[in-house]
Amino acid sequence: MDIDKLRKITDIMIADFVNKLGLNGKVYVSSNPCPIVYGDLGAFKRVLAGRFYTAESPDLKTFLEMNNYSKEDQKKYLSEGLVVINDYFKDNPLSKNSLITCIHERYHANRMILANIPYSGNEDIPDYFHTNGRFVQNNDEKVDTYIDPAQEVLLSSIDQSKDVINDYKKLSFEEKDDLQFENDMFSDKMSFQQAIDEALIDLMAKITYEIATDKFSDIMEVTDYLSKHSKNGSYKGMSNIILRHHDLELFKWMIDPISYQKDDIHYDFFSNYITTDDLNDIKTIIESEDIHVGDNFLDNLTKEVSKKSK
């Protein structure tokens, strides 16, 4: 399947889905024309159908170094980011799997932004610690970087007070290194965000494809069908949450995360959206993903959501 043809077909499908959300699909599709190529995903080629590489990221630099692109193309891909579809699909007919894969990765690509975010000052030290029941920013340095705001930024209430930051700045590298292993709350939170985000993007890509087949009239109808018939725990859990709230706000958040984060890149829209009724479905989603989230994190999430529900 020619890559330009794959783009044009998925353009139409994505725009239709976005229109059905009540947003402007044509503008959405044209706003971020991220390059798409077939490629060898290296160590991931057996497990990933596709992958989005964030602009200027170390992973993208490694991918470009391993592949024989012209200097002009390398410069373009490095500055704009890159969607790579497993080259297994290149010489095969257009399929449901190739379409859903391309749609999925393009939803990731369209979310990339350039942001000025906190930086610990050392790549071996996380930008935040979790201590005394809260996340704290440990340095006042910031860096401009391309990010996915749903997966690569800590979404939580963070103590960013000057006194706290100054206290952590005074610590040695060894002391900071010890602090990052004091508990797993930071890594658990980032893993949780990734699981929720992938579940939503997976579901969006599946629904986008199904809507295009004309077997369903609207997004909620497909969501209801997947809730009742899917054996995929991620689809089922996320579909249940959307049906329970009876709105499409989570999909709109995926399309336009910044607008839903109240001008605060750290605002945790999802944790403020869900209720205690959703917690069993969240557990289903987490257990269906290949990640580990500790019991302490789940207990804290339950307490947090319970407080907001009262």
Side-chain angles (χ1 to χ4, degrees):
M1 166 58 67
D2 178 76
I3 202 73
D4 289 333
K5 188 173 181 181
L6 183 61
R7 176 189 283 279
K8 287 175 183 175
I9 292 170
T10 53
D11 271 354
I12 295 167
M13 297 169 79
I14 291 170
D16 184 39
F17 176 83
V18 174
N19 285 336
K20 283 182 167 59
L21 288 176
L23 305 173
N24 191 318
K26 184 178 180 181
V27 170
Y28 176 77
V29 166
S30 63
S31 64
N32 188 4
C34 181
I36 307 172
V37 299
Y38 287 113
D40 184 345
L41 290 167
F44 299 99
K45 68 187 298 181
R46 294 180 181 274
V47 294
L48 290 181
R51 187 175 180 187
F52 168 62
Y53 290 93
T54 307
E56 298 184 6
S57 65
D59 285 346
L60 178 53
K61 290 175 184 175
T62 300
F63 175 82
L64 294 174
E65 286 168 4
M66 293 174 60
N67 289 274
N68 191 28
Y69 294 109
S70 67
K71 288 185 177 179
E72 185 180 346
D73 280 344
Q74 286 191 40
K75 184 178 179 181
K76 174 185 173 69
Y77 299 155
L78 195 59
S79 65
E80 296 182 17
L82 185 65
V83 168
V84 180
I85 307 299
N86 196 319
D87 56 13
Y88 163 82
F89 295 110
K90 185 176 182 179
D91 299 318
N92 287 292
L94 185 68
S95 66
K96 176 179 178 178
N97 197 8
S98 61
L99 284 168
I100 290 177
T101 297
C102 188
I103 292 165
H104 177 113
E105 301 308 333
R106 293 189 68 188
Y107 280 137
H108 279 304
N110 273 38
R111 221 168 42 191
M112 183 183 72
I113 61 170
L114 178 63
N116 184 250
I117 58 174
Y119 175 52
S120 70
N122 190 302
E123 290 185 1
D124 294 322
I125 301 294
D127 304 319
Y128 311 95
F129 296 134
H130 189 272
T131 181
N132 297 323
R134 79 210 195 283
F135 287 106
V136 295
Q137 186 175 319
N138 55 39
N139 197 3
D140 55 10
E141 187 174 339
K142 291 198 172 185
V143 62
D144 288 328
T145 186
Y146 287 99
I147 54 162
D148 180 334
Q151 283 201 18
E152 297 173 317
V153 175
L154 174 64
L155 303 177
S156 185
S157 176
I158 302 164
D159 189 338
Q160 298 174 306
S161 57
K162 190 174 181 180
D163 289 346
V164 168
I165 291 173
N166 286 338
D167 284 343
Y168 283 100
K169 280 179 67 179
K170 295 173 187 174
L171 301 179
S172 66
F173 172 84
E174 288 74 19
E175 288 172 314
K176 291 179 181 178
D177 194 39
D178 287 341
L179 272 172
Q180 73 172 305
F181 297 112
E182 195 174 75
N183 59 63
D184 296 322
M185 291 300 293
F186 178 74
S187 59
D188 282 354
K189 183 65 170 76
M190 298 305 290
S191 295
F192 174 76
Q193 288 177 200
Q194 181 180 352
I196 294 303
D197 184 68
E198 288 298 335
L200 272 164
I201 294 286
D202 276 345
L203 184 60
M204 281 172 57
K206 173 74 170 172
I207 292 174
T208 300
Y209 173 83
E210 294 296 345
I211 286 283
T213 65
D214 292 328
K215 290 187 288 188
F216 300 93
S217 61
D218 59 39
I219 293 172
M220 277 299 187
E221 188 181 355
V222 191
T223 305
D224 183 61
Y225 179 85
L226 292 172
S227 173
K228 291 174 180 173
H229 300 284
S230 180
K231 294 180 181 178
N232 181 310
S234 177
Y235 285 165
K236 187 177 288 290
M238 195 56 75
S239 295
N240 288 345
I241 292 171
I242 289 164
L243 292 169
R244 187 175 297 116
H245 289 255
H246 198 64
D247 61 42
L248 301 173
E249 296 303 289
L250 289 179
F251 291 146
K252 291 178 182 179
W253 171 50
M254 289 288 97
I255 294 291
D256 185 16
I258 298 304
S259 294
Y260 277 77
Q261 287 171 219
K262 300 186 176 181
D263 296 321
D264 177 4
I265 201 167
H266 299 290
Y267 180 72
D268 192 346
F269 177 78
F270 185 80
S271 292
N272 283 282
Y273 176 86
I274 58 172
T275 69
T276 51
D277 292 336
D278 300 320
L279 293 172
N280 284 336
D281 287 311
I282 288 169
K283 190 174 181 183
T284 298
I285 293 165
I286 291 170
E287 289 175 350
S288 74
E289 301 288 334
D290 188 23
I291 65 163
H292 170 74
V293 174
D295 290 337
N296 285 342
F297 175 79
L298 290 173
D299 288 344
N300 281 1
L301 178 66
T302 302
K303 290 173 187 172
E304 224 177 281
V305 173
S306 296
K307 281 181 187 174
K308 289 167 186 168
S309 298
K310 287 178 181 177

